[in-house]
Amino acid sequence: MLLVTSTAGVGDLVGAGAIDALAGHPGAARSEVLPPVAVALSGGCWQHWRTPGNNDPMAARSWAQRALREVELELSREVSRRFEAVRLSLGAVLSDALDHGILLA
């Protein structure tokens, strides 16, 4: 789970905390091999822009744009990591199949 913070940064939430957060949202039964990716908004970050002293729509828009860029970058990294894991796994399976003569030309 990617957690957007009040600084418009993105942190990773893994383990039991991420599982609990995802379990709180209903959805269809999943059958993926890889776990889903979710994006969450830290509770206080949007409220920051709603307080009387910080009621600045332009600053809020700027924060949202920075947060979106950070989420895009982190999602790109996550997709790259997943493709690399698939590539390595497929390479290991094919190598093992070749070593044992399972694949025939």
Side-chain angles (χ1 to χ4, degrees):
M1 176 176 283
L2 304 176
L3 181 65
V4 179
T5 66
S6 60
T7 62
V10 176
D12 291 333
L13 182 60
V14 297
I19 292 170
D20 289 345
L22 288 174
H25 298 282
R30 293 181 167 27
S31 61
E32 304 97 5
V33 174
L34 296 172
V37 174
V39 178
L41 190 60
S42 177
C45 59
W46 188 253
Q47 288 298 325
H48 173 78
W49 301 108
R50 304 297 291 168
T51 60
N54 290 324
N55 193 6
D56 183 352
M58 293 303 289
R61 184 175 291 123
S62 176
W63 173 87
Q65 289 171 344
R66 282 193 320 271
L68 182 58
R69 280 193 301 274
E70 289 298 319
V71 168
E72 288 173 341
L73 287 171
E74 194 55 42
L75 285 174
S76 176
R77 289 182 196 114
E78 181 61 26
V79 167
S80 294
R81 284 190 290 266
R82 289 175 181 223
F83 273 114
E84 180 64 11
V86 168
R87 186 189 69 77
L88 292 172
S89 298
L90 186 57
V93 168
L94 291 175
S95 176
D96 191 47
L98 287 172
D99 289 346
H100 292 91
I102 294 172
L103 294 177
L104 301 175

